[in-house]
Amino acid sequence: MLPLRIFRASAATLAMLLTTLVPPMTAGAQDLTLAAAEHIALERDAMAHEMRTQAQAMRERAIMEGQLMDPELRFGAVNVPVDSFSLTDEDMTMLEVGVSQEFQPGKSRQLSRRQMEQLASAMDATAEDRTRLVRREVRKLWTQLAYIGASREVLETQTAWVEQMRQSARARYASGEGQQLDLLQAGLDVAMLREQQLDLDRDEAMYRSQLTFWLGSEDAARAKPSSVAPRSTLEPLAALEARLAAHPAMADYERRLAAARTAVDVAQEKRKPGWMLDLSYGFRQGDMVGGMGEAEERPDMLSAMVTVDLPLFRANRQDREVSAARLEERGLGLRHDDHVREFQAMLTEAWHTARRTGELEQFYETDLLPLADQSVTAALLGWRSNRVMIDDVVQARRIATETRIKHLRLAADRALAQHEIDYLAGEER
């Protein structure tokens, strides 16, 4: 009779465990908040810092582009006789110092400066886009880890219950009242849950390693998210599409297009002739014989020259440069149109995903989760009154667990889609 007592004790323990439904998950202590993780990731992101540095460098270069070329200083001896190398024998021999200054054609300097400033502004937009992307990636990883943590809590509760069932099956089999098939089924249930936990451990290691790239190993280890972001009201798609036009990636293309149009203006200005001013002063030494036979001091010489470019071969030079600039502008415009369509498609897909998964998530909360809990309770009451087998209770408990995990997956997918929407349309202020 001793094995029967063991079974009765196990059955009583089982009944006590069965009266407890799957408890709601509580948020675990988070050593690192999501806001802190985003801040760390942005501070560590070298690419965004490099982009902002490039923008500042372009602004410095813009100032340079707007300046005149450095003047050239010339110094030397002119018309020195080779037979004596004397600086006083010949009248035209002199020491000359001169300055020449080049002037770019038309308004090319001002336009070049404007073009560089537009490119710097485009780089600022690229850096802002990078900031949004970093936030999106950190939030997505945070959501995946939160799903894994919540799913693990559900599985751990189910694992403790299934382990108790296996002990009961062993006791029944040892007493001769159970079947070997029941013992095998109980073992398979435990193995299935362990496999699910192994899958979660593998996914957690993958997502945490990706989070390490953004946060570093120490801060990534401190991140312990346990709850997915709650569902909120989804904005109309039309309102989100209106905000999509202000996306930094859109501003990047628009500013680069403006720079390309300025490049066309620069090329057109180069069709005008450039010119250079050259001033020189010659110092002559020695005396010369005047009209009365008297020695007179040789006067110094001043020269001024203007050199003008002659764009006689514009068809294969300046015109080609204008044509190339226009083609580059056109190509960039076509790429921008394609980029707009791509972003609109991404936003539409993310919006529909968030809407559908949100509706299904709500259906789980209002219908399926309560029904799953009621099924477990009904199976438990039927087992107590000997109207159903314990296998029915096990099946009801398994379905309830799977329902909760599917609900968590839907919540995570909805949050991931919302993160994509926030990246594309920006967060509503």
Side-chain angles (χ1 to χ4, degrees):
M1 297 296 294
L2 182 59
L4 183 58
R5 293 193 188 97
I6 295 175
F7 169 71
R8 287 175 178 172
S10 300
T13 304
L14 175 62
M16 181 179 65
L17 289 173
L18 287 173
T19 57
T20 305
L21 298 178
V22 178
M25 290 171 293
T26 58
Q30 297 182 0
D31 296 337
L32 189 68
T33 64
L34 176 57
E38 292 176 9
H39 178 74
I40 293 172
L42 291 175
E43 288 295 322
R44 282 174 48 88
D45 187 48
M47 187 173 294
H49 292 302
E50 189 260 346
M51 290 175 178
R52 293 188 179 91
T53 302
Q54 283 189 9
Q56 187 61 33
M58 288 178 179
R59 288 188 172 87
E60 296 292 334
R61 193 171 290 113
I63 297 175
M64 178 196 71
E65 293 286 348
Q67 306 304 310
L68 289 171
M69 299 291 290
D70 290 336
E72 296 180 357
L73 175 66
R74 293 182 292 104
F75 180 80
V78 180
N79 298 323
V80 178
V82 295
D83 56 351
S84 64
F85 293 100
S86 172
L87 299 178
T88 59
D89 290 347
E90 300 293 335
D91 289 343
M92 297 304 297
T93 301
M94 68 187 79
L95 296 176
E96 185 178 77
V97 59
V99 176
S100 59
Q101 176 65 59
E102 182 180 354
F103 297 89
Q104 287 86 348
K107 298 180 179 179
S108 58
R109 286 188 297 110
Q110 296 88 334
L111 292 173
S112 296
R113 176 170 182 169
R114 182 195 302 174
Q115 180 188 8
M116 193 58 64
E117 289 173 347
Q118 290 166 336
L119 290 174
S121 181
M123 186 58 67
D124 284 335
T126 304
E128 181 60 29
D129 178 34
R130 176 67 180 183
T131 299
R132 282 196 185 189
L133 186 143
V134 170
R135 286 199 180 99
R136 182 194 67 182
E137 294 305 310
V138 171
R139 290 175 182 178
K140 283 187 173 183
L141 293 172
W142 196 272
T143 297
Q144 295 286 19
L145 291 174
Y147 160 74
I148 290 172
S151 299
R152 182 177 284 114
E153 289 184 11
V154 174
L155 290 180
E156 286 176 353
T157 302
Q158 181 70 359
T159 299
W161 186 85
V162 170
E163 186 64 34
Q164 186 66 35
M165 287 294 300
R166 188 167 68 124
Q167 296 299 328
S168 298
R170 283 180 177 178
R172 292 181 63 189
Y173 182 74
S175 65
E177 297 183 4
Q179 298 181 3
Q180 190 175 19
L181 184 61
D182 296 334
L183 184 60
L184 176 61
Q185 183 61 46
L188 289 176
D189 289 340
V190 173
M192 181 185 67
L193 289 174
R194 289 179 179 175
E195 288 178 3
Q196 289 179 310
Q197 290 175 338
L198 285 176
D199 290 339
L200 291 178
D201 292 340
R202 179 199 61 202
D203 292 342
E204 181 181 11
M206 178 183 65
Y207 292 128
R208 199 168 290 278
S209 66
Q210 294 176 11
L211 192 63
T212 300
F213 171 79
W214 299 107
L215 305 183
S217 57
E218 294 183 1
D219 289 319
R222 292 171 51 217
K224 299 178 181 178
S226 59
S227 60
V228 177
R231 187 174 60 257
S232 59
T233 302
L234 188 62
E235 293 184 69
L237 180 58
L240 296 173
E241 288 176 339
R243 296 215 306 268
L244 182 62
H247 193 280
M250 302 296 183
D252 173 32
Y253 268 99
E254 291 169 359
R255 293 167 187 176
R256 283 196 285 157
L257 271 171
R261 286 189 288 268
T262 305
V264 174
D265 295 337
V266 172
Q268 289 177 335
E269 287 296 305
K270 289 183 179 180
R271 300 174 68 179
K272 300 176 181 179
W275 59 287
M276 182 174 64
L277 176 63
D278 188 301
L279 295 176
S280 59
Y281 192 91
F283 299 91
R284 295 203 297 174
Q285 302 180 16
D287 297 330
M288 66 178 181
V289 179
M292 303 297 293
E294 298 178 356
E296 298 179 359
E297 184 179 356
R298 291 172 177 167
D300 295 338
M301 308 291 287
L302 177 65
S303 301
M305 299 289 293
V306 175
T307 304
V308 181
D309 295 334
L310 297 178
L312 299 178
F313 308 103
R314 293 190 305 183
N316 290 324
R317 291 182 59 85
Q318 289 86 352
D319 291 349
R320 297 289 183 178
E321 186 173 359
V322 172
S323 177
R326 285 175 175 167
L327 289 173
E328 289 176 356
E329 178 194 359
R330 180 184 176 188
L332 189 59
L334 293 174
R335 198 188 318 165
H336 178 42
D337 293 340
D338 185 69
H339 190 257
V340 171
R341 290 191 295 269
E342 179 185 3
F343 267 48
Q344 288 176 341
M346 291 169 58
L347 178 61
T348 301
E349 179 183 358
W351 187 85
H352 285 292
T353 299
R355 181 178 61 83
R356 290 192 297 264
T357 54
E359 292 174 352
L360 190 54
E361 178 190 4
Q362 187 175 12
F363 175 68
Y364 267 74
E365 294 170 357
T366 57
D367 293 71
L368 297 186
L369 288 178
L371 185 60
D373 292 341
Q374 293 170 11
S375 299
V376 174
T377 302
L380 175 60
L381 294 175
W383 174 73
R384 287 177 173 175
S385 59
N386 295 323
R387 288 184 289 107
V388 299
M389 301 296 292
I390 189 65
D391 292 343
D392 297 325
V393 180
V394 174
Q395 181 67 13
R397 186 68 182 250
R398 182 185 299 119
I399 293 176
T401 299
E402 292 175 356
T403 303
R404 289 189 177 277
I405 292 180
K406 287 180 180 179
H407 171 254
L408 290 173
R409 185 66 261 174
L410 284 171
D413 291 340
R414 183 260 310 154
L416 292 174
Q418 185 62 52
H419 296 331
E420 190 71 21
I421 291 173
D422 292 340
Y423 163 72
L424 293 169
E427 299 178 58
E428 189 176 17
R429 300 299 180 184

